[in-house]
Amino acid sequence: MAETTRLMTIGEFSNLTRLSVRMLRHYDAHGVLVPADVDPWTGYRRYAPRQLQDAVDVRNLRDVGFGVSAISALLAARGTPAWSSALELQRETLLGETRAAQARLTLINRLIEGESTMPITIERRIVPAMTIVSLRDVVPTYADEHLLWQRMMPEITRQGLQATGPYGVIEHHDEYIEHDVDEEIFLQVAPGTEVAAPLAVHDLPERDCLIARVVGPYDQITRAHDVIADRLASDGLVPLGDGTLAARAFNLYFNTPDEVPAEDLITEVCMPLQG
């Protein structure tokens, strides 16, 4: 009987937990936060003080983006590695959404201010032959290229390799795709360099390329491809496109976000051409 007198009405519980009565009923219906007692005659819900922490966890999980079914599973996993793993994964998801939102803000600012705020220069020139050490894999989207660098750079250090030129990335698709992007990141090294798996070495010949130089954030790279497409059409140029690694479009990075602010990043988007 003592426990019953300490139970709270749904209104009291709602006020303490900052969860609306509507949401408390919703969570009850889905078995996420079930009242300690339900009057069989009136249907009135009552909650125990021990459920306050459950309610806080439910609210926090909801606020970071988990749905009802996930919240139910996570509550059962509190204090286990599964709880931490799920939160880490959700954090990565939110970081990706934040980067995407920031890219959209940058784009809309550019549209408001005009294209001239981020100039892209374009020229045709010979890219010298190079030896590269690379790591190739599929990432969720183009914006997730950093996941490859997070894997590659510790290997570079472990194997004692030294870069001799800009870093870069090769795109292995013949068209732009939205998901499951096949990319190969690389750094230039001295000829004759040997590496161990998962890294690979390629010797690339000199190439005649159309090159769009971007100064500013990486979200300008899409526009650089637009500039290249316009020049290909206006000058009657044809991409190399023979299916070899050397024929693939690639980017060269002359600095990194760890070294300079986003507005000072320098990227060259390179399209190999037929002679």
Side-chain angles (χ1 to χ4, degrees):
M1 187 67 176
E3 174 67 18
T4 303
T5 61
R6 293 173 55 238
L7 296 182
M8 292 169 277
T9 67
I10 192 170
E12 293 170 330
F13 194 70
S14 169
N15 187 52
L16 286 172
T17 61
R18 315 313 292 171
L19 289 170
S20 69
V21 168
R22 180 184 67 84
M23 289 306 300
L24 286 172
R25 288 173 176 155
H26 177 69
Y27 291 136
D28 178 15
H30 287 82
V32 174
L33 190 57
V34 178
D37 178 73
V38 179
D39 189 296
W41 300 106
T42 65
Y44 289 162
R45 297 168 172 85
R46 294 183 181 275
Y47 295 83
R50 57 182 167 76
Q51 293 184 282
L52 289 170
Q53 185 58 53
D54 290 343
V56 170
D57 289 339
V58 167
R59 189 187 67 238
N60 288 337
L61 292 171
R62 177 203 65 184
D63 289 348
V64 299
F66 287 105
V68 171
S69 60
I71 290 174
S72 180
L74 281 168
L75 290 178
R78 282 176 294 187
T80 73
W83 165 271
S84 299
S85 296
L87 293 179
E88 290 285 353
L89 183 60
Q90 183 68 359
R91 179 170 64 182
E92 288 301 315
T93 299
L94 293 175
L95 286 172
E97 292 173 355
T98 299
R99 287 191 292 267
Q102 186 58 55
R104 289 194 292 270
L105 285 171
T106 300
L107 175 58
I108 200 167
N109 288 337
R110 178 165 59 81
L111 292 173
I112 291 170
E113 298 167 4
E115 297 285 347
S116 61
T117 59
M118 287 289 181
I120 294 177
T121 59
I122 188 164
E123 65 173 331
R124 182 177 181 175
R125 73 168 189 267
I126 300 297
V127 174
M130 63 179 74
T131 298
I132 63 170
V133 169
S134 67
L135 176 67
R136 179 178 177 179
D137 207 343
V138 173
V139 292
T141 69
Y142 291 97
D144 295 305
E145 181 187 318
H146 66 281
L147 298 176
L148 292 178
W149 290 108
Q150 289 173 3
R151 290 168 51 194
M152 184 177 186
M153 295 315 294
E155 278 295 321
I156 294 298
T157 300
R158 187 179 69 83
Q159 298 188 33
L161 303 174
Q162 295 292 326
T164 60
Y167 294 6
V169 61
I170 300 167
E171 298 180 355
H172 280 277
H173 291 284
D174 293 326
E175 72 280 352
Y176 177 85
I177 62 173
E178 295 183 351
H179 303 288
D180 298 327
V181 180
D182 185 358
E183 291 193 323
E184 187 166 5
I185 59 172
F186 67 85
L187 56 86
Q188 298 180 48
V189 294
T193 296
E194 296 182 356
V195 299
L199 304 182
V201 174
H202 303 287
D203 291 311
L204 299 175
E206 71 173 25
R207 286 160 288 175
D208 181 12
C209 292
L210 196 57
I211 300 173
R213 185 177 178 88
V214 178
V215 178
Y218 292 140
D219 60 15
Q220 300 297 304
I221 290 175
T222 295
R223 192 160 66 91
H225 282 279
D226 294 340
V227 172
I228 288 174
D230 288 343
R231 181 62 64 88
L232 288 172
S234 65
D235 291 6
L237 301 172
V238 179
L240 186 53
D242 62 8
T244 65
L245 184 64
R248 297 289 184 189
F250 61 99
N251 299 343
L252 293 176
Y253 303 125
F254 291 86
N255 48 27
T256 72
D258 293 334
E259 299 170 334
V260 298
E263 60 269 22
D264 294 330
L265 291 169
I266 299 175
T267 307
E268 289 188 346
V269 181
C270 307
M271 177 65 70
L273 302 171
Q274 291 185 14

